[in-house]
Amino acid sequence: MSFNSRSSSNRRSEYRLFISHSWEYSDEYNRMVELLRDYPNFSFRNYSVPKVDEIDADTEEELEQALREDQIKPATVVIILGGMYVAHSKWIKKETILAEIESKPILGVIPRGNEQMPNFVEDHADQIVGWQGKSVVEGIRDLAD
């Protein structure tokens, strides 16, 4: 028996997650949210910004400030879905840097069918997992608990 592992009774009852994603690739985001919702004995609050509920900001600076204060700062863990589009997304990179500034652990998730992550995610993630419910949830718990 390992004394370093936390029992399920010592785990958080709810995890606050910010899932960084590109709206152009929202199918991946939606699949990740479903995967987490369907996972047994796992509860989370989603601090991500869905396309249907955009942040009301007039400038990039206002948008960045709102992301930092309202989405990333309250999150327990920031998840980056590691599709190749990450390398070309200015906002995913900004969200990642904001997560680091706020000292939030970053979990990189390798998309199904991929064997590696974009270098940017590898360089910034505290942990990288595959796209399986058990791997993602264990990664979240490892980083948050």
Side-chain angles (χ1 to χ4, degrees), residues 38-49:
D38 292 344
Y39 198 81
N41 302 315
F42 183 77
S43 178
F44 71 100
R45 182 168 178 196
N46 190 348
Y47 281 86
S48 306
V49 183

Side-chain angles (χ1 to χ4, degrees), residues 24-71:
E24 287 129 33
Y25 297 89
S26 60
D27 286 349
E28 272 190 354
Y29 166 78
N30 292 331
R31 282 194 301 274
M32 177 55 61
V33 171
E34 282 180 38
L35 180 134
L36 293 170
R37 279 193 187 132
D38 292 344
Y39 198 81
N41 302 315
F42 183 77
S43 178
F44 71 100
R45 182 168 178 196
N46 190 348
Y47 281 86
S48 306
V49 183
K51 192 169 187 173
V52 296
D53 191 20
E54 295 179 38
I55 294 173
D56 185 24
D58 294 325
T59 66
E60 281 194 14
E61 291 78 19
E62 286 179 10
L63 177 58
E64 190 172 324
Q65 185 66 22
L67 276 168
R68 182 176 181 173
E69 293 300 319
D70 301 332
Q71 268 60 50

